[in-house]
Amino acid sequence: MSVVLVGAVLATGGCSGEGDPPAGEPDRRTEAQLTRALLKDGDLPGRFAPIPPDADAVGSGFEDVCQEPVPGDPDLLVGRGFAAGVSGTIGVTSVIAQYPTVAEAREVFEAIRTGWGECSDSDYDGLSFAMRPKDAPRVGEEAFGVKVELVSDIIAQTVQMYALSGSTVVEASAFGTYPDADFASEALRTVMQRLRTS
């Protein structure tokens, strides 16, 4: 199961973060700075190994939600993933999208949250998904999460979490067979903390 597959359905479950709200336009970060904020070797238990980059998969959650397009195109988009188990049965990813302005980033964040919120249990590519809100860590200006479960004889789930910080939107996810939601929460916390200090 991949983030691409899951970029189809969700329900809201948000929280207001305790981060600093932007004062005007934020400092712009370079691609190298954003990349340094992503998950890296050592952030997850030793059994996790890097997933080879897939340009098509990175940022798929910023293109559409529940088959509805998300407005806006990021200036910069970086991502990194890790997998563990036979054939990568559990994966954890982090993706950062930086937009030209704070207003555009907020519009994208709200579109993603609204898209997931308007998606109830539904079918996608012939598969049935059940969606539930998931508490997200209190990071950035706002954050929300969702748990999506594939309803079939294959048990596959994903927990996706999003946070907004200035002109940046962060997505962290844990997916596979019974993924630990704490992986997504910790990934979001880690990336947001690195962004604050970059």
Side-chain angles (χ1 to χ4, degrees):
M1 182 168 189
S2 71
V3 179
V4 177
L5 177 64
V6 204
V9 242
L10 158 48
T12 64
C15 67
S16 293
E18 297 170 346
D20 300 326
E25 295 302 314
D27 293 334
R28 304 295 291 162
R29 292 181 180 91
T30 65
E31 184 172 359
Q33 287 174 311
L34 294 179
T35 300
R36 282 194 298 271
L38 294 170
L39 288 178
K40 58 183 80 168
D41 285 330
D43 287 339
L44 296 165
R47 68 182 189 273
F48 280 88
I51 300 171
D54 180 348
D56 293 332
V58 170
S60 61
F62 292 95
E63 294 170 2
D64 66 78
V65 172
C66 237
Q67 304 179 66
E68 291 297 322
V70 171
D73 291 312
D75 285 343
L76 293 172
L77 182 68
V78 296
R80 186 176 293 141
F82 294 83
V86 179
S87 300
T89 51
I90 297 176
V92 180
T93 63
S94 61
V95 179
I96 304 171
Q98 180 172 268
Y99 292 85
T101 66
V102 170
E104 287 178 69
R106 176 161 289 283
E107 180 183 12
V108 168
F109 180 82
E110 293 299 345
I112 293 170
R113 178 162 50 190
T114 299
W116 284 126
E118 291 176 352
C119 247
S120 57
D121 297 353
S122 68
D123 292 326
Y124 178 70
D125 281 353
L127 300 172
S128 258
F129 289 89
M131 290 142 309
R132 304 290 175 263
K134 192 76 181 166
D135 288 338
R138 292 183 173 273
V139 293
E141 293 145 47
E142 291 186 64
F144 74 93
V146 67
K147 179 180 179 181
V148 184
E149 183 173 355
L150 174 62
V151 182
S152 74
D153 40 347
I154 301 170
I155 302 298
Q157 303 172 353
T158 189
V159 175
Q160 288 184 235
M161 297 189 176
Y162 296 86
L164 173 67
S165 177
S167 63
T168 304
V169 180
V170 175
E171 175 192 49
S173 65
F175 57 90
T177 308
Y178 299 116
D180 188 336
D182 288 345
F183 286 143
S185 294
E186 287 307 312
L188 193 65
R189 281 192 192 95
T190 298
V191 172
M192 293 298 290
Q193 177 59 36
R194 288 181 181 151
L195 279 176
R196 283 175 60 86
T197 57
S198 67

